[in-house]
Amino acid sequence: MTLPSAQEKSYTINDIYSLPEGSRAELIDGQIYYMAPPTRRHQRIIGELFAAIRAYIKGNGGICEVDIAPFAVFLNEDDKNYVEPDISVICDPGKLTDKGCFGAPDWIIEVVSPGSRRMDYFTKLFKYRAAGVREYWIVDPEKNRILVYNFESEDTGDYTFADSVRAGIYDDLFINFSTMADLLNI
């Protein structure tokens, strides 16, 4: 006789907000995933990417907003999914409130940490695509690799920190990763 398996507890956004102060976690399909503090290299890469994207948007009078983690994204507009992407670009101001972004950002960038590898490459890839994110970049400093998923055109690109990578949601924004190559050796 086979015994029924124990049902996993399903969590909500209220559980995320009830965590002790200073705890960082994400919620995907009702499951909590705790996050370790980022490394200095991780933060510097995010800072460089944020600065380049923000300068481009401001310099071109764009309406999109770029936000850096911790920034709440309520992916499916339900109480079972809450993520904090490293970088989120949102071009629909109607999705933004003081609490964060309700719905899918247009462009998400995640910088891989040793503890987030499986989450960034698999779980979030699927979740972001299903939620309607237009473009997703996985920046992996350990592998010297940038994977670009343009879900609108079904294109995928594989780049290194020696490359200049075009953002799919803009025609003329290129991120020159070779200027960040020194960050790999921190």
Side-chain angles (χ1 to χ4, degrees):
M1 179 172 146
T2 306
L3 296 174
S5 61
Q7 183 112 10
E8 284 189 31
K9 178 170 172 47
S10 183
Y11 295 93
T12 68
I13 291 169
N14 289 334
D15 295 306
I16 292 290
Y17 283 123
S18 297
L19 292 173
E21 188 153 339
S23 297
R24 287 194 58 217
E26 294 178 306
L27 181 69
I28 297 178
D29 296 329
Q31 295 304 301
I32 292 178
Y33 297 90
Y34 291 92
M35 299 185 300
T39 63
R40 182 171 152 245
R41 174 173 57 179
H42 184 273
Q43 289 303 93
R44 289 195 55 207
I45 292 169
I46 292 169
E48 293 290 324
L49 291 168
F50 173 83
I53 296 165
R54 185 165 188 258
Y56 173 85
I57 292 170
K58 285 185 86 165
N60 288 283
I63 63 163
C64 299
E65 177 174 310
V66 59
D67 290 289
I68 194 167
F71 175 74
V73 173
F74 305 91
L75 265 182
N76 297 89
E77 299 184 58
D78 63 16
D79 68 345
K80 301 284 186 193
N81 291 281
Y82 166 96
V83 292
E84 293 182 359
D86 290 321
I87 295 176
S88 302
V89 177
I90 301 101
C91 299
D92 178 356
K95 291 182 178 182
L96 296 168
T97 72
D98 280 344
K99 287 191 170 196
C101 176
F102 287 82
D106 293 271
W107 180 17
I108 289 178
I109 300 174
E110 295 283 9
V111 177
V112 177
S113 299
S116 74
R117 185 168 303 284
R118 180 171 171 72
M119 183 74 97
D120 293 337
Y121 276 100
F122 300 104
T123 307
K124 287 185 176 179
L125 172 65
F126 171 77
K127 200 69 189 164
Y128 291 159
R129 181 183 188 136
V133 172
R134 292 168 53 198
E135 185 168 356
Y136 175 42
W137 289 18
I138 302 171
V139 178
D140 192 335
E142 293 297 319
K143 292 187 174 185
N144 185 29
R145 181 180 202 192
I146 301 102
L147 284 173
V148 174
Y149 294 92
N150 186 323
F151 298 132
E152 287 185 319
S153 65
E154 300 293 322
D155 287 337
T156 303
D158 193 352
Y159 305 92
T160 72
F161 273 74
D163 295 321
S164 186
V165 182
R166 187 176 78 77
I169 70 167
Y170 296 108
D171 291 330
D172 58 350
L173 171 59
F174 290 85
I175 306 288
N176 186 352
F177 278 87
S178 67
T179 62
M180 291 184 250
D182 62 319
L183 298 178
L184 294 174
N185 299 318
I186 293 176

